Amino acid sequence: MDGRSRGAVMLALVLSVGPAAGGGSEVASPTQAARVPECALLWTAATGPIRGSSELSVVDDVSGDGVSDLLVAEHGLRGPSDVALLDGGSGREFWRRRFEDRPTAPAVWTVLRHGPSVLVAHGDALSVIDARTGAAVREMGLRAPIGEIAAAHLDTDGVPDVVYSAGSDRDDVLVALSGADLSEIWTVAAGPDDSRFGNGFTRLTVRDLDRDGRDEVVVCENMRSVLVLSGDGAIVWKTELAERTTYVPTGAVSGPPVLGDFLGGGLRQLAVGLWAGTLVVVDPADGEILAQRLFGVDTDAHRSLARNRRLPRFLKAILTEAGEPINGLLALELDGVSGGEVVFGCSDGFVYAYSPRTDRILWSHDSLGQVFRAPVPVDANDDGVPDVLAWDEEGVYLIDGRTGDPLEGFPPGASLSNAVLADLDRDGTVELIELRRDGSAHAFATGMTCARAPSAAGCVE
């Protein structure tokens, strides 16, 4: 399936509910592809075949050898599932734990009172694992299976706390746990909604929006509203970003929001992608919509479906007004002008770089498949402008941040499940770690630098 024939995801969403992302028309003209430093294979490791979804995270240096380590979580479709810690310098496995009941959320790395820890939610239980030994420090029962989970600094005691959504039929409660003893700090209940979109709390993310040293919680409620809660669980604001009709959840958030100065002037905003193809920029203080643009409407698939005489008129109207869902977002500064850009993959088969300040698409890159996960920034050609690494089920794309053109000389990657870029050995250049669906992990020395200051999560905030 090429990038011109993809783009019927929104119709599938009309008839059911499913994942995906955006589109536009201003594209960069192709130029001769530039080359980047050759990558050298550092190590490979067997992680086990990927039977469902997976997570790959850069975490603290557990072994004390000066190299960051890697947390791998493989979620089976029904179980069992594995969580393992790998040595970032060699790929050697430190420990592995198997969970017979399928984990309901990705494993979370955090630092509790006793030290570095991995939290694994499985069924209606939460396991706290000592990251240094792999031993279970604590097992605690939960009121219901966890949907999503995140570490957050809700207070100023320096110990990360835990926030999770949970529910038996839907994630109808949001719970905060103290990092000191995992006792409940507060709970918030989702509003009632008996429609097919009433799934409670989803798209959980945490950010220090007001720069006071305490994280706020950003979450979507019933695919209708976006909420921001303070560290003590109080609702700061709640807003609908677009209408959610009986047939199409056009206002539903399609992925975690990102924070950045998108409009210039030194203030930060939240960029949020919606299922129906709209990218929305909102004020994190009160939820006011400051800018928006629709992507993924004018596609061959949409035009072909709209011409179908057997398609009901109301569905044709939806196709002319709704775009393709927007996937994982990355905030970057690409054009050197005040006001950052948003880079994202989309279900019409393109990766876009978009400036909310000027309402301009800087470039679009045609991918072979659909890029669902947020791209990663890297300075590949040493021109001072961040470049973009993206991947999908077909391969890896290294994209020139200035033009959107492909950069050559990069290992393509085969059937990736996940990938990260990080300066594991802290020598100023980044390594690429690929987790492939055949159950192997590969680490490459790239000779490139991170496009911004690396953090514990690698090149991504």
Side-chain angles (χ1 to χ4, degrees), residues 143 154 162-164 166 172-177 183-190 201 229 231-235:
R143 60 177 64 194
L154 300 178
V162 179
V163 181
Y164 69 86
D172 53 8
V173 65
L174 198 64
V175 181
L177 305 178
S183 61
E184 285 193 9
I185 305 173
W186 50 258
T187 63
V188 174
F201 291 119
L229 297 94
D232 58 9
I235 296 178

Side-chain angles (χ1 to χ4, degrees), residues 153-155 176 185-186 214-217 229-234:
H153 287 278
L154 300 178
D155 49 37
I185 305 173
W186 50 258
R214 301 172 63 190
D215 285 326
E216 281 72 43
V217 178
L229 297 94
S230 64
D232 58 9

Side-chain angles (χ1 to χ4, degrees), residues 97 99 120 122 125-129 135-141 182:
R97 290 189 67 89
F99 297 88
V120 181
H122 52 102
L126 180 67
S127 295
V128 182
I129 300 169
V137 175
R138 182 174 177 179
E139 301 275 350
M140 57 184 292
L182 295 181

Side-chain angles (χ1 to χ4, degrees), residues 2 13 17-18 37 45 58 90 102 106 114 132 149 156 158 170 176 178 227 241 266 280 289 306 357 365 376 426 436:
D2 63 35
L13 188 59
V17 183
V58 178
S90 66
R102 179 183 183 275
H114 72 273
R132 293 161 295 198
I149 185 171
T156 56
R170 66 176 200 142
S178 168
L227 285 74
L241 299 182
V280 181
I289 296 176
R357 184 185 66 83
H365 178 88
V376 180
R426 303 167 200 176
R436 300 184 181 178

Side-chain angles (χ1 to χ4, degrees), residues 253-288:
V253 178
S254 54
V258 295
L259 189 64
D261 176 12
F262 301 114
L263 300 179
L267 299 177
R268 300 186 302 171
Q269 299 84 37
L270 280 171
V272 187
L274 305 183
W275 283 114
T278 301
L279 180 71
V280 181
V281 177
V282 301
D283 188 332
D286 57 14
E288 178 188 358

Side-chain angles (χ1 to χ4, degrees), residues 368-385:
L368 295 175
Q370 296 183 24
V371 174
F372 289 109
R373 294 182 181 268
V376 180
V378 63
D379 189 0
N381 51 12
D382 201 28
D383 64 355
V385 176

Side-chain angles (χ1 to χ4, degrees), residues 222-245:
N222 290 323
M223 295 185 75
R224 178 187 294 277
S225 303
V226 174
L227 285 74
V228 169
L229 297 94
S230 64
D232 58 9
I235 296 178
V236 178
W237 54 261
K238 177 178 178 178
T239 187
E240 291 188 28
L241 299 182
E243 183 182 6
R244 195 208 73 183
T245 67

